[in-house]
Amino acid sequence: MQDKDNTTHFGFKEIPTDQKVDAVAQVFHSVAAKYDIMNDLMSGGIHRLWKRHTISQSGVRAGQKVLDIAGGTGDLTAKFSRLVGQSGQVILADINDSMLKVGRDKLANMGVVGNVQCVQANAEELPFPDNTFDCITIAFGLRNVTDKSKALASMQRVLKPGGRLLVLEFSKPETECLSTIYDQYSFRLLPFMGKIIANDSESYRYLAESIRMHPDQETLKGMMEEVGFERVTYQNMTGGIVALHKGFKF
C-alpha cells in the first residue's frame, strides 16, 4: 500500500516505492537456497497441507493452462504439472531469479519436465495475453508485491472467463490469544531460526513484519472484488494464520 509521498512499506519500515522490488529481491536472493528447509521448520510441515488444500480448490484438470505466480521452488507447479498432463501447461513465474533457479533445478530433479515453463515476471505487469489461463495461484507471494491492487488486476486480465484465482497467504488470526502467541513466535523464534539455519536473521524479521502489514481477510476480499473478481470467498486455516481467497472471472 503506497501513500501520497510515493513511499511504501518494507516490513515495518517506509521506503521509496521504486526501491521495494530490489529490497524484496535481496531478501529472496538471501533465503533461496534454504527456502524449502525453512518452510518446513517454520510451519512444522503444515505449509504442505495448506498447499494441498489450495490444489484441491483449484478445479484444475487435464489439458488446462495454469499460472503459478511467485511459485518459488515449485511446490504447487509440480502438483499442477501432474494434473494438467502433457496436453496442458503450467507456467512457474517468479520475479526473483534466484528463487526461479532453485525451482527449476528442483523440478528437473523430480522429473517434472515437458509441460512446465519457467518465466521471470513481475506480478504487477504479467507478460501474457488477455484470457490465457484457466487457473492462477499465488501462494505466500502477494504480501511482497508493491502494488497489490495492480497485481490483482493483472491476474484478472490474463485469466480466462470462467477461470479462478487462488490467493494463499498469511492473514489475521481469529482470536487475540492466538494472535499474541503468533506474534511471539514470529518476532522471536523466526529470526533466531533464520540466523541458525540460513545465517540471515534480518530477512526472516522482514518476512514476519510483512505478514503483519498484509491486508486482513475482508480487506483482501474487497480488493479482489474491486478489480473485477466475482464470487470472492475466503477460508481460514490454522485459526486464520493463513487464509485461502478464491475469486472467479466471468
Side-chain angles (χ1 to χ4, degrees), residues 51-100:
K51 291 170 181 174
R52 187 179 304 166
H53 181 66
T54 301
I55 297 287
S56 75
Q57 295 295 301
S58 70
V60 168
R61 57 187 185 274
Q64 291 192 323
K65 193 165 185 176
V66 178
L67 175 62
D68 182 17
I69 300 173
T73 58
D75 284 349
L76 292 179
T77 292
K79 293 178 174 62
F80 281 132
S81 173
R82 290 192 289 271
L83 287 175
V84 303
Q86 290 307 307
S87 61
Q89 184 183 32
V90 184
I91 293 183
L92 169 60
D94 203 293
I95 195 172
N96 188 279
D97 60 343
S98 295
M99 292 291 288
L100 206 58

Side-chain angles (χ1 to χ4, degrees), residues 28-234:
F28 284 93
H29 284 315
S30 176
V31 305
K34 300 289 186 179
Y35 187 78
D36 283 341
I37 295 172
M38 283 296 294
N39 272 355
D40 281 332
L41 290 173
M42 289 187 301
S43 72
I46 298 175
H47 75 99
R48 298 180 184 276
L49 300 179
W50 297 332
K51 291 170 181 174
R52 187 179 304 166
H53 181 66
T54 301
I55 297 287
S56 75
Q57 295 295 301
S58 70
V60 168
R61 57 187 185 274
Q64 291 192 323
K65 193 165 185 176
V66 178
L67 175 62
D68 182 17
I69 300 173
T73 58
D75 284 349
L76 292 179
T77 292
K79 293 178 174 62
F80 281 132
S81 173
R82 290 192 289 271
L83 287 175
V84 303
Q86 290 307 307
S87 61
Q89 184 183 32
V90 184
I91 293 183
L92 169 60
D94 203 293
I95 195 172
N96 188 279
D97 60 343
S98 295
M99 292 291 288
L100 206 58
K101 183 180 186 302
V102 171
R104 186 187 297 113
D105 291 346
K106 177 179 170 182
L107 291 169
N109 289 337
M110 294 170 64
V112 180
V113 295
N115 64 352
V116 172
Q117 179 183 358
C118 295
V119 176
Q120 188 171 358
N122 186 334
E124 297 177 27
E125 299 176 352
L126 293 169
F128 310 108
D130 295 358
N131 308 319
T132 297
F133 298 98
D134 297 285
C135 180
I136 298 175
T137 57
I138 179 166
F140 305 113
L142 187 61
R143 74 182 188 279
N144 297 307
V145 174
T146 304
D147 190 332
K148 296 172 182 61
S149 291
K150 186 176 180 183
L152 290 168
S154 185
M155 296 175 210
Q156 201 269 354
R157 177 185 64 80
V158 302
L159 195 63
K160 290 180 181 178
R164 71 186 73 185
L165 168 68
L166 297 167
V167 181
L168 180 65
E169 188 55 89
F170 292 107
S171 200
K172 183 177 175 58
E174 295 174 286
T175 67
E176 285 301 319
C177 180
L178 181 57
S179 184
T180 299
I181 295 169
Y182 188 46
D183 278 349
Q184 292 296 314
Y185 170 77
S186 298
F187 294 113
R188 293 179 182 271
L189 191 55
L190 286 192
F192 175 75
M193 291 169 64
K195 181 175 178 59
I196 298 300
I197 304 300
N199 195 31
D200 184 352
S201 61
E202 286 306 306
S203 288
Y204 284 92
R205 191 179 310 280
Y206 157 74
L207 292 173
E209 292 175 357
S210 72
I211 293 169
R212 299 309 182 279
M213 299 302 291
H214 186 66
D216 64 20
Q217 289 91 326
E218 283 293 327
T219 302
L220 180 54
K221 178 176 182 286
M223 292 170 67
M224 290 173 66
E225 291 169 338
E226 284 174 8
V227 300
F229 285 101
E230 300 180 42
R231 289 168 49 192
V232 179
T233 59
Y234 63 84

